[in-house]
């Protein structure tokens, strides 16, 4: 179990630029989640995948955001035309479903995005 | 929609003492799960303890225990024999028991400091 890996750890970009983050889940986990966390707040759900299928998207995920999980392995989260309000920690988590809602989520260390 | 409320932004405890962190939630569902997550300065979310709503017995994990009051929709975390390593942000989270809705809804968190 090598844990959930996220890359990069930090990203500084200028407003209007595109950025892409990567998440490598625990290998046997078929569920993958993206959350966003701003300073002083709890994580907010963005989207989740079961295998390669994106099953739910939050209303927070505007059309500038897109997430993919090709082949049901790693996932990417792209933000186009970044805005200063996009500055946040982007967290990825993975899990293996237990058939109910109680399975344990394993989180990565996140990607801290700063938009100047 | 489910909501999770953590009304105490900060708490402080003396090393070796006991501290209780409060959380309330709102839901119309009868089948759900509640969690406490710890987020140290490394920013990686770590599961502390989990409670299934249909279980009346309060969950316990070593020095961590919960007081689950389903009728009052209250879910507090008690940390016994506090250690310096317990200093972190703690988040209460809710998850529906229905497999159709797998996201975690987090509270705003509470910052716990431990005095030596």
């Amino acid at each position: 179990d090598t844990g959930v890996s996220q890359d990069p750890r930090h990203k500084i970009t200028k407003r209007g630029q595109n950025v892409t983050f990567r998440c490598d889940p625990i290998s046997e986990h078929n569920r993958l989640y993206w959350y966003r966390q701003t300073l002083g707040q709890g994580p907010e759900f963005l989207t989740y995948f079961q295998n390669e299928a994106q099953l739910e998207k939050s209303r927070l995920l505007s059309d500038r955001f897109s997430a993919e999980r090709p082949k049901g392995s790693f996932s990417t989260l792209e933000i186009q035309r970044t805005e200063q309000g996009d500055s946040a920690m982007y967290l990825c988590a993975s899990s293996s479903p237990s058939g109910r809602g109680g399975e344990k989520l394993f989180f990565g260390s996140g990607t801290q995005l700063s938009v100047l | 929609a489910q909501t999770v409320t953590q009304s105490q932004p900060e708490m402080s405890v003396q090393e070796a003492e006991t501290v209780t962190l409060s959380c309330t939630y709102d839901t119309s569902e009868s089948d759900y799960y509640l969690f406490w997550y710890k987020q140290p300065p490394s920013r990686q979310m770590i599961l502390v303890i989990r409670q299934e709503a249909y279980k009346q017995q309060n969950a316990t994990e070593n020095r961590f225990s919960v007081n689950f009051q389903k009728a009052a929709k209250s879910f507090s975390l008690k940390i016994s024999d506090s250690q310096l390593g317990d200093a972190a942000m703690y988040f209460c989270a809710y998850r529906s028991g229905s497999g159709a809705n797998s996201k975690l809804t987090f509270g705003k968190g509470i910052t716990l400091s431990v005095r030596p």
Side-chain angles (χ1 to χ4, degrees):
Chain A
D1 180 356
T2 57
V4 178
S5 175
Q6 291 189 247
D7 184 68
R9 287 295 305 273
H10 302 274
K11 178 70 177 179
I12 300 173
T13 190
K14 293 183 179 179
R15 189 176 53 186
Q17 297 294 304
N18 299 342
V19 294
T20 300
F21 311 140
R22 176 177 171 126
C23 172
D24 286 90
I26 293 171
S27 58
E28 64 268 25
H29 286 181
N30 59 0
R31 284 187 174 173
L32 185 147
Y33 303 81
W34 285 99
Y35 285 82
R36 181 173 71 186
Q37 185 179 19
T38 53
L39 199 61
Q41 301 293 318
E44 296 173 295
F45 171 80
L46 292 178
T47 188
Y48 104 93
F49 293 83
Q50 181 152 319
N51 300 311
E52 66 275 9
Q54 190 173 17
L55 296 186
E56 187 173 352
K57 293 170 61 174
S58 164
R59 283 173 291 180
L60 293 175
L61 217 63
S62 75
D63 57 5
R64 295 185 298 107
F65 288 70
S66 62
E68 294 183 344
R69 194 183 181 197
K71 303 178 182 177
S73 55
F74 70 92
S75 176
T76 58
L77 178 66
E78 180 183 16
I79 308 174
Q80 296 182 329
R81 306 180 304 281
T82 51
E83 302 173 355
Q84 287 184 327
D86 297 331
S87 296
M89 174 76 77
Y90 289 83
L91 294 167
C92 177
S94 70
S95 72
S96 185
S98 65
R100 295 176 57 82
E103 77 262 22
K104 182 177 179 179
L105 265 64
F106 292 81
F107 282 83
S109 295
T111 293
Q112 180 68 54
L113 173 66
S114 298
V115 181
L116 305 179
Chain B
Q2 294 80 26
T3 59
V4 178
T5 302
Q6 294 179 257
S7 56
Q8 307 156 303
E10 297 179 354
M11 289 280 284
S12 181
V13 63
Q14 189 77 34
E15 194 176 6
E17 297 294 308
T18 296
V19 64
T20 298
L21 310 182
S22 301
C23 172
T24 58
Y25 60 94
D26 190 25
T27 183
S28 58
E29 298 178 324
S30 58
D31 183 17
Y32 52 88
Y33 293 80
L34 297 166
F35 306 82
W36 278 97
Y37 277 86
K38 172 184 178 180
Q39 188 176 43
S42 67
R43 301 299 297 266
Q44 186 167 20
M45 302 284 281
I46 301 165
L47 178 64
V48 174
I49 199 165
R50 176 179 64 186
Q51 176 76 41
E52 298 169 70
Y54 62 87
K55 288 190 175 179
Q56 291 187 343
Q57 186 174 5
N58 289 325
T60 299
E61 290 285 346
N62 301 313
R63 297 183 296 107
F64 299 88
S65 61
V66 299
N67 183 4
F68 174 47
Q69 301 289 326
K70 191 171 184 179
K73 296 181 181 174
S74 169
F75 182 62
S76 60
L77 174 69
K78 185 171 80 171
I79 306 174
S80 304
D81 185 26
S82 297
Q83 300 175 359
L84 295 177
D86 294 333
M89 280 203 76
Y90 286 82
F91 293 94
C92 179
Y94 171 101
R95 189 175 202 183
S96 172
S98 164
N101 185 355
S102 294
K103 66 183 181 185
L104 280 170
T105 300
F106 288 88
K108 288 187 175 183
I110 178 170
T111 300
L112 177 67
S113 58
V114 181
R115 303 186 302 275

